[in-house]
Amino acid sequence: MQKIRTAMLGTGFMGIVHTDAIRRLGNVEVAAVAGSSDSKAKAFADQLYIDRSTGDWESLLKDPSIDAVHICTPNALHAPMAKIAIANGKHVLCEKPLTMTSGEAKELLDAAEARGIVHATNHNLRYYPVVQHVRQMVASGELGEILAVQGTYSQDWLLYDTDYNWRIEAEHNGKLRAMGDIGSHWMDMIQHLTALPITSVCGELTTFHKTRKKPKGSVQTFSGKTLSPDDYEAIPIDTDDFGAVLLHLGDRARGSFTVSQISAGNKNSFRFEIYGTKSGISWNQERPDELWIGHRNSPNQVIVKDPSLLIGGAAGFADLPGGHSEGYDDSHKQLFKRFYGRIANRSNPIDYPTFADGLRGMLLLEAVAESSAKRGWVDVNL
Ligand code: SOE
């Protein structure tokens, strides 16, 4: 069987995660990598045993031997790269947030649809098996009517003013940093699970470190924690370290969540709670195989992932038996499996987040930014 040939764009933390997950699929080859320079691309290719590397992503996107691309670069490059990839008929899987503006996201969605290519936005966190179990519980009415949702996505890797990464700079990241980087996951998740659209937001974004000390070399996501702070330059910062949002969902559900990259001790703590008229659930990404189920009139439960006990289609997202953990890397594999399944066979369902979800995410991020600037509620028509 001929393998699908894919190109990796970006040589950072996500480039490594994507490359590993793609290789576990079996039917896809990471044929080339493009980086911001020949030397960075070569170092990545050497580390991950990729045959071809280049600093010239544009030429790679025009290469007829490449079928698909993964865009894992700083956010400002997503739209220009995706545009050229689509124009050259490549299938595109892009990191979130999809673009810098909703206008760009709409343009990409329209172009991808017109060209008939397969497109995805990497909201991988949907695909923990237990999370899919929650989706099935909601769909089958086990929770009753959804009344309230709450939670957080909290990290600590940008706590100190010496912590640095491209995401800090609006020019590369966009104006919304914690909200764009991890709030985008939270809002995508809650809508995916409840099937309720977010209709109004009231948010506040805060930058605690108005100046950060930028190391004079480049810093990989999460790795700044181990740098020694001897060679920095001070630069002004206007992207958010923290954000809080009140939400309306659907006709009458209500909710709230926070995002933070300065919460000591929270490494990658994505938590959500969903409460319905019958029961509630609570999940934390740092303990991904466990699900708390709350009852009013009987003892609460904690269930542990076991494909034989997951309901509906949720078992299809677990590749290992009960007691064998499935985590962050696996969530990517599950999404990529479906993306490439669709490329291989267009009669497969679109059961992964597309550019339409990426566009919805951008509209929500813009609404949160507007709300924070005007200190009031903003309606969203998704
Ligand atoms: C950094 O905050 C980051 O890598 C995000 O960009 C990812 O989307 C999240 O899954 C983990 O944290």
Side-chain angles (χ1 to χ4, degrees), residues 95 221 253 272 299 315:
E95 264 302 332
T221 307
F272 57 76

Side-chain angles (χ1 to χ4, degrees), residues 198-268:
I198 295 175
T199 53
S200 272
V201 295
C202 181
E204 185 185 45
L205 301 168
T206 305
T207 306
F208 290 110
H209 293 303
K210 300 220 169 6
T211 304
R212 282 188 184 254
K213 296 180 186 128
K214 181 176 182 176
K216 289 182 178 155
S218 78
V219 185
Q220 182 92 298
T221 307
F222 290 108
S223 71
K225 283 177 158 185
T226 55
L227 283 186
S228 67
D230 44 7
D231 208 5
Y232 297 102
E233 60 180 311
I235 68 153
I237 302 296
D238 60 0
T239 55
D240 48 303
D241 295 312
F242 179 87
V245 183
L246 296 175
L247 303 169
H248 289 183
L249 297 96
D251 290 335
R252 70 183 197 118
R254 295 290 182 264
S256 65
F257 73 99
T258 57
V259 293
S260 171
Q261 291 179 322
I262 47 80
S263 293
N266 287 264
K267 305 305 165 191
N268 201 24

Side-chain angles (χ1 to χ4, degrees), residues 13-14 95-96 124-125 153 155 157 167 181-182 185 221-222 261 268 328:
F13 169 59
M14 291 318 297
E95 264 302 332
K96 39 42 62 179
N124 59 296
L125 306 179
Y153 200 146
Q155 302 174 331
W157 65 289
R167 288 178 174 80
D181 185 30
I182 49 183
H185 275 313
T221 307
F222 290 108
Q261 291 179 322
N268 201 24
Y328 184 75

Side-chain angles (χ1 to χ4, degrees), residues 89 163 217 231 245 331 379:
D163 291 330
D231 208 5
V245 183
S331 69
D379 292 337

